[in-house]
Amino acid sequence: MTKIFEGKVVLMTGGSRGLGAATAEAFARQGADVAITYAASAEKAEAVVEALKAKGVRAIAIKSDQADLSSARPLIDKVIAEFGKLDILVNNAGIATQGQLVDDPNLDDEKYNRQWQVNVLGSIANTRAAAPRLSDGGRIIFIGSLLGSYVPFKGVADYAGTKAALIGYAKGIARDLGPRNITVNVLQPGAMPTDMNKDVAGELPPLDAFLDLHPIRRFATLEEVAEAVCFLAGPHAGYITGETINMAGGLGI
Ligand code: NDP
């Protein structure tokens, strides 16, 4: 395989599991040095790092809970101290808090507010810390969700809102960073087979009914979503910026 990311440094937030781990591996397979973050899963993060190093690249795991906005600058400092630069930021880390309706008098404000903190403010803090230090010609990719644009069931307003917020923010910083040839895009996957999906499975419609809404009647594989992230991060996507790309098997068309 051509190692199109040789010499590039990637920061993948939330790389200990799920899509982040799969995408970190896809970048490493194509030659990138990769830093991953995690909040709690130290052992899983270290296992991912070992798998990345086995592909012949440099890799580190950094514990950095992005609910704490003050963690952003030290995170970027560590990546640059380790690898000397940063070329590609993938804002992947996120949580899903779903199931309660907005008129539920017992809505768990604290839990739902934390979701805004992690998914939106944490991603923004990381981006602000990274932007001045990102290489010219670099890439910023936000992992949104199809729910940021299309909401086919109840109980997901806050999650959908967090993902929709990323769209406007990404367009804004695409304008700001365009003069440096840095592209900024949002990739919006549909359902993927990860822990997050299992965690919220009880809040979704029955699986068959949900799949029936998809022209391509299945979940995405992590590998195909990871490759789409790599495409947006790669040399052939230098003229795609400010875009929101759905990857949801046609759900919502
Ligand atoms: P997982 O729950 O499988 O993994 C989440 C990752 O994010 C873990 O590495 C986790 O670290 C990290 N993380 C969670 N909270 C924090 C935090 N406060 N600070 C730093 N890292 C944190 O999620 P997925 O892989 O499914 O999701 C990845 C992205 O894709 C998310 O943005 C999600 O919203 C989005 N998405 C997911 C879909 C799905 O069906 N799964 C569908 C559409 C979008 P740790 O292991 O330490 O907890």
Side-chain angles (χ1 to χ4, degrees):
M1 176 185 277
T2 329
K3 305 234 168 183
I4 58 168
F5 293 114
E6 215 154 47
K8 299 289 183 191
V9 175
V10 177
L11 171 56
M12 171 69 54
T13 67
S16 51
R17 306 182 271 128
L19 178 63
T23 308
E25 293 207 28
F27 274 116
R29 212 167 37 241
Q30 296 172 72
D33 295 323
V34 185
I36 62 168
T37 71
Y38 64 97
S41 309
E43 275 181 31
K44 286 182 182 168
E46 283 310 326
V48 172
V49 164
E50 289 314 309
L52 301 180
K53 286 181 176 165
K55 298 182 194 315
V57 301
R58 295 180 294 166
I60 51 166
I62 302 169
K63 181 174 164 67
S64 181
D65 182 345
Q66 66 185 50
D68 172 5
L69 305 185
S70 71
S71 68
R73 286 187 202 286
L75 167 63
I76 304 303
D77 287 345
K78 271 185 206 147
V79 174
I80 290 177
E82 182 77 17
F83 297 128
K85 62 172 183 161
L86 175 61
D87 300 299
I88 297 162
L89 168 64
V90 185
N91 281 302
N92 164 77
I95 55 175
T97 305
Q98 301 181 357
Q100 289 190 281
L101 308 192
V102 67
D103 57 356
D104 181 341
N106 298 316
L107 185 95
D108 188 338
D109 284 316
E110 201 177 316
K111 221 167 124 189
Y112 279 77
N113 289 347
R114 182 180 159 81
Q115 180 173 235
W116 286 94
Q117 181 84 0
V118 173
N119 292 7
V120 180
L121 294 180
S123 298
I124 289 175
N126 287 338
T127 303
R128 285 181 183 162
R133 306 177 76 183
L134 203 64
S135 307
D136 288 359
R139 301 279 190 265
I140 299 176
I141 295 148
F142 292 90
I143 304 302
S145 161
L146 183 69
L147 295 180
S149 300
Y150 174 72
V151 183
F153 40 81
K154 296 179 194 169
V156 295
D158 287 86
Y159 180 77
T162 66
K163 296 304 190 178
L166 300 177
I167 297 172
Y169 186 70
K171 286 179 196 278
I173 62 174
R175 285 269 177 210
D176 293 350
L177 299 175
R180 290 167 54 202
N181 285 315
I182 294 171
T183 70
V184 186
N185 292 289
V186 181
L187 183 68
Q188 299 199 131
M192 299 179 287
T194 65
D195 295 340
M196 175 182 286
N197 201 278
K198 277 187 237 143
D199 294 344
V200 298
E203 320 297 348
L204 301 176
L207 183 60
D208 270 343
F210 182 57
L211 287 176
D212 282 345
L213 300 172
H214 296 68
I216 308 295
R217 197 183 178 284
R218 61 174 175 82
F219 283 4
T221 67
L222 296 182
E223 290 68 27
E224 62 196 352
V225 181
E227 286 303 333
V229 177
C230 288
F231 169 71
L232 289 173
H236 303 302
Y239 201 54
I240 301 175
T241 196
E243 299 292 350
T244 300
I245 295 157
N246 295 340
M247 191 167 182
L251 176 61
I253 57 174

